[in-house]
């Protein structure tokens, strides 16, 4: 089985976290380690509390005596995941397996970097002071934009440039604040799938997100492919055959102009504006309601979206050499409309007759998932820190 990490100790913790509880025999076999090597590496991880031995069970082969299983305990520590949109803060508290314990959504009071960071600090302080849940080991923050470690190089959604979150939190918080990990939002969502989603049984796939923007992440051999653009996807302005929408840079028929929710809504609004003056639809949900009630402009906008999305999925999966794609983001809900039925028809329209079919894994598109992705970034950071600090 492919490892997420080359380092054997990290590989063990990562494998047990993603697939546990596991017997020692199964873990050694999966990671191609000898029993003696596994015992040597696991001992300090158990002593440090990173890995626990739990209930007796049988190995997946069903052979041998009942044995204790290895797991990364889920209930003795928690993590905070925060996703920032242009107007809202979405926050979740998760366990070590990224399962949501609680969630909160609050409006951004002031979009300026300084004021928004103050609001984030107060939110994190509120969670840190809570005694109703396990202690917080880490905080992940995600947003749409170009990220370099702890610095937001640029985010068009928030209007930020060269904002260093680490410097702000270091200067304004006490020593008890958990370590903060900053990631691009699509990077975080890709990590969620890599560790706790599709990556549990598929080693190669693409994550494509459709919403206020278009983004994508790739996982090959269980490892996320790093974007050279600080987490930004490289396909937002990919030209799509048959598409007609115009993006913010004047490109005709690119992914942003054809697939983003604002672009799809604007095409429906343009058609309706000939006879209506209500500026509808203003949301994906209203677009679908109007289509169902007989509005032909809305029906056409949804049908064009579905066909262009099928072309985008074919192009991205083919270039990435994968056959599985996760579709997420608030725009994915449009595929639930009966006027988007042509998506499946067009999904393999450019494939050769004998090519394997693309498998699409649709997700909910909820903003909680984006926040979960941020939490996973914090979980992975903790995992690496805890493993390296174990006494060998």
């Amino acid at each position: 089985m492919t490892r997420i990490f080359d380092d054997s100790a990290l590989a063990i913790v990562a494998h047990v976290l993603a697939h546990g509880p596991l017997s020692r025999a199964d873990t050694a076999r999966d990671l191609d380690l000898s029993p003696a090597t596994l015992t040597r590496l696991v001992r300090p991880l158990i002593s440090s509390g990173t890995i626990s031995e739990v209930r007796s069970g049988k190995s997946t082969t069903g052979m041998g005596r009942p044995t204790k299983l290895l797991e990364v305990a889920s209930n003795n520590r928690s993590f905070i995941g925060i996703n920032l949109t242009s107007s809202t803060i979405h926050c979740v508290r998760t366990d070590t397996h990224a399962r949501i314990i609680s969630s909160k959504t609050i409006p951004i009071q002031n979009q300026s970097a300084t004021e928004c960071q103050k609001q984030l600090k107060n939110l994190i302080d509120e969670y840190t002071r809570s005694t109703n849940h396990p202690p917080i080991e880490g905080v992940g923050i995600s947003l749409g934009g170009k990220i370099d470690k702890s610095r937001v190089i640029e985010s068009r959604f928030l209007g930020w440039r060269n904002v260093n979150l680490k410097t702000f939190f270091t200067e304004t918080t006490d020593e008890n604040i958990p370590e903060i990990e900053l990631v691009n939002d699509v990077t975080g969502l890709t990590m969620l799938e890599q560790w706790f989603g599709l990556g549990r049984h598929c080693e190669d796939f693409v994550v494509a997100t459709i919403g206020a923007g278009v983004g994508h992440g790739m996982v090959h051999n269980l490892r996320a492919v790093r974007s050279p653009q600080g987490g930004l996807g490289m396909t937002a302005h990919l030209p799509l055959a048959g598409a007609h929408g115009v993006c913010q840079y004047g490109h005709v028929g690119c992914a942003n102009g054809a697939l983003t929710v604002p672009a799809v809504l604007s095409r429906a609004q343009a058609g309706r504006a000939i006879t209506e003056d209500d500026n509808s639809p203003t949301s994906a949900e209203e677009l679908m309601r109007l289509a169902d009630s007989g509005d032909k402009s809305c029906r056409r906008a949804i049908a064009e979206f579905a066909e262009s999305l099928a072309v985008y999925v074919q192009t991205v999966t083919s270039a990435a050499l994968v056959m599985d794609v996760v579709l997420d983001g608030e725009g994915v809900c449009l595929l639930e409309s009966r006027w988007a039925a042509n998506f499946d028809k067009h999904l393999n329209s450019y494939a050769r007759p004998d090519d394997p079919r693309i498998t699409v894994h649709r997700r909910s598109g909820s903003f909680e998932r984006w926040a979960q992705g941020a939490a996973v970034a914090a979980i992975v950071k903790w995992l690496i820190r805890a493993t390296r600090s174990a006494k060998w």
Side-chain angles (χ1 to χ4, degrees):
M1 180 177 288
T2 305
R3 299 180 176 191
I4 293 182
F5 295 106
D6 289 326
D7 180 273
S8 291
L10 283 172
I12 290 169
V13 180
H15 189 63
V16 172
L17 174 62
H19 300 279
L22 290 168
S23 71
R24 290 180 181 239
D26 291 335
T27 305
R29 185 186 62 253
D30 291 345
L31 298 177
D32 195 24
L33 296 171
S34 70
T37 298
L38 182 78
T39 297
R40 175 176 58 82
L41 293 174
V42 163
R43 187 179 296 115
L45 294 171
I46 292 175
S47 297
S48 67
T50 306
I51 285 180
S52 303
E53 286 189 302
V54 293
R55 65 187 182 276
S56 297
K58 291 184 178 180
S59 72
T60 56
T61 63
M63 304 292 289
R65 296 177 299 173
T67 181
K68 288 185 177 180
L69 304 178
L70 301 175
E71 75 166 5
V72 176
S74 63
N75 59 359
N76 58 359
R77 54 183 65 87
S78 62
F79 299 83
I80 301 302
I82 297 173
N83 174 250
L84 298 177
T85 69
S86 60
S87 61
T88 308
I89 299 173
H90 302 273
C91 183
V92 297
R93 181 196 290 266
T94 77
D95 64 14
T96 314
H97 293 210
R99 292 184 290 251
I100 296 176
I101 300 170
S102 62
S103 64
K104 175 182 287 190
T105 299
I106 57 176
I108 292 177
Q109 297 168 354
N110 188 320
Q111 209 178 56
S112 77
T114 300
E115 293 303 314
C116 187
Q117 287 177 100
K118 289 179 181 178
Q119 190 176 1
L120 289 175
K121 174 189 175 298
N122 292 336
L123 180 63
I124 294 169
D125 286 344
E126 176 186 333
Y127 273 97
T128 303
R129 290 193 300 268
S130 173
T131 58
N132 297 328
H133 299 285
I136 297 171
E137 290 283 353
V139 176
I141 299 175
S142 73
L143 52 87
K146 190 173 183 179
I147 307 297
D148 180 18
K149 298 180 180 178
S150 62
R151 187 162 57 97
V152 180
I153 298 175
E154 183 271 335
S155 173
R156 70 177 176 90
F157 302 105
L158 289 163
W160 292 2
R161 285 185 177 274
N162 294 317
V163 175
N164 194 316
L165 264 69
K166 185 174 182 179
T167 298
F168 174 85
F169 283 106
T170 300
E171 293 175 350
T172 61
T173 57
D174 57 36
E175 296 180 355
N176 294 324
I177 190 168
E179 185 171 358
I180 293 175
E181 182 74 359
L182 176 66
V183 293
N184 169 271
D185 54 3
V186 179
T187 298
L189 203 60
T190 302
M191 294 177 73
L192 175 61
E193 289 292 337
Q194 174 194 15
W195 285 81
F196 303 106
L198 186 58
R200 282 177 160 165
H201 57 267
C202 180
E203 295 187 356
D204 306 289
F205 58 90
V206 164
V207 175
T209 62
I210 309 296
V214 174
H216 87 290
M218 287 194 298
V219 173
H220 273 289
N221 293 325
L222 278 185
R223 303 189 184 192
V225 178
R226 181 173 298 178
S227 165
Q229 293 293 320
L232 288 177
M234 306 288 285
T235 61
H237 299 280
L238 187 75
L240 303 178
H244 306 292
V246 181
C247 78
Q248 70 269 34
Y249 299 119
H251 305 150
V252 177
C254 76
N256 252 22
L259 299 177
T260 58
V261 173
V264 177
L265 294 177
S266 69
R267 288 197 292 278
Q269 291 165 358
R272 286 174 52 82
I274 298 172
T275 57
E276 308 288 343
D277 61 358
D278 57 5
N279 201 38
S280 293
T282 57
S283 68
E285 292 74 21
E286 186 182 17
L287 174 66
M288 291 189 286
R289 284 197 302 271
L290 288 170
D292 287 339
S293 66
D295 190 291
K296 293 184 178 179
S297 296
C298 294
R299 290 178 179 181
R300 182 59 186 166
I302 294 173
E304 283 187 0
F305 164 83
E307 183 172 348
S308 294
L309 181 58
V311 173
Y312 174 82
V313 168
Q314 288 179 81
T315 304
V316 172
T317 53
S318 297
L321 303 177
V322 302
M323 298 310 300
D324 289 85
V325 58
V326 173
L327 282 183
D328 212 338
E330 60 269 33
V332 174
C333 69
L334 291 175
L335 292 179
E336 298 171 7
S337 170
R338 57 178 169 148
W339 310 109
N342 55 338
F343 173 76
D344 292 326
K345 173 185 175 182
H346 288 286
L347 185 57
N348 294 286
S349 58
Y350 289 92
R352 292 168 297 199
D354 296 331
D355 283 349
R357 304 293 91 175
I358 298 167
T359 301
V360 176
H361 308 265
R362 296 186 196 176
R363 301 299 189 241
S364 67
S366 72
F367 284 102
E368 280 190 350
R369 280 182 51 80
W370 295 96
Q372 264 185 295
V376 173
I379 292 169
V380 173
K381 187 77 171 182
W382 162 80
L383 179 149
I384 294 171
R385 184 177 69 248
T387 302
R388 289 177 174 168
S389 64
K391 296 181 179 179
W392 302 95

